[in-house]
DNA sequence: TTGTATCGTAAGTCATAACTTACCAATAAA
DNA sequence: TTTATTGGTAAGTTATGACTTACGATACAA
């Protein structure tokens, strides 16, 4: 399941900070490292996890790598959410039916 | 931010297994503990985290506690997702506009 | 060619969260 | 009242993942 990777990625607070920072505009590693209270190599490591989860994209620009939000991973979250929501509604409905049968 | 709690909660694979198990039908701790490869007290601890994140509800039934998916937390995920999606689209749009200005 | 800027990765550290067993409280049945 | 079932919590263990510093590769300017 792809969403395992995605939710594991989002599960970390620092990685959520990275996504929050990127929601406005693409940013380089250095810029992110100035904004988020961890070392630059730590930011790189987190970006790697986010990239593998398809939550960010990277575009080399000279010596700099520019990162942006990748909607692919967000799509997966939405699919999971819709599916989860539907099932929860279904379970609630049949639960109520069972209840009114007793 | 409430969604910090939620995403931290979903970040754990065992807790995701719990949610997967509950998507079909409400279940008791004991039932969950049979289905998921961890001890029953571990399940209890995870359920506590999920409850505080508003991802599950608990209904005492005699000596048993029945847990079910709570749509409140799912709603938060949806809000975050929509907001994230909109911002990412906006950023992409203004990024393209900047690009065509250069 | 040298120097500078940028960043990925290796290697090391260690706090913490996910696990366990043990204990006990609450509920229900006998 | 006693016994059985169920589950929350305490306390202890430890693997791991989030952090750091160090190193070196790549791109670009001088």
């Amino acid at each position: 399941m792809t969403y395992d990777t995605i939710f594991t990625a989002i599960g970390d607070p620092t990685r959520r900070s990275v996504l929050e920072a990127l929601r406005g505009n693409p940013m380089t590693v250095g810029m992110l490292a100035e904004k988020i209270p961890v070392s630059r190599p730590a930011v790189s490591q987190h970006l790697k996890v986010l990239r593998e989860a398809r939550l960010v994209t990277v575009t080399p620009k000279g010596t700099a790598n520019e990162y942006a939000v990748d909607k692919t991973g967000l799509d997966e979250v939405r699919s999971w959410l819709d599916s989860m929501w539907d099932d929860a509604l279904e379970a609630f409905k049949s639960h109520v039916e069972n209840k009114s049968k007793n």
Side-chain angles (χ1 to χ4, degrees), chain A residues 3 6-7 10 55 70-86:
Chain A
Y3 67 76
I6 292 172
F7 283 117
I10 308 184
L55 288 164
D70 183 349
K71 290 188 287 299
T72 311
L74 295 183
D75 235 349
E76 280 289 332
V77 176
R78 192 180 292 277
S79 292
W80 175 84
L81 184 56
D82 288 345
S83 149
M84 197 72 198
W85 189 276
D86 290 347

Side-chain angles (χ1 to χ4, degrees), chain A residues 5-60:
Chain A
T5 307
I6 292 172
F7 283 117
T8 298
I10 308 184
D12 177 72
T14 301
R15 284 197 284 277
R16 286 201 293 280
S17 297
V18 171
L19 283 176
E20 284 296 321
L22 290 179
R23 74 192 296 173
N25 283 294
M27 292 172 77
T28 62
V29 182
M31 290 159 68
L32 285 165
E34 280 173 18
K35 200 162 185 178
I36 295 168
V38 294
S39 67
R40 185 203 41 79
V43 173
S44 281
Q45 285 171 10
H46 286 303
L47 285 167
K48 181 174 181 178
V49 174
L50 289 169
R51 201 162 69 241
E52 287 167 355
R54 306 298 297 273
L55 288 164
V56 299
T57 58
V58 57
T59 308

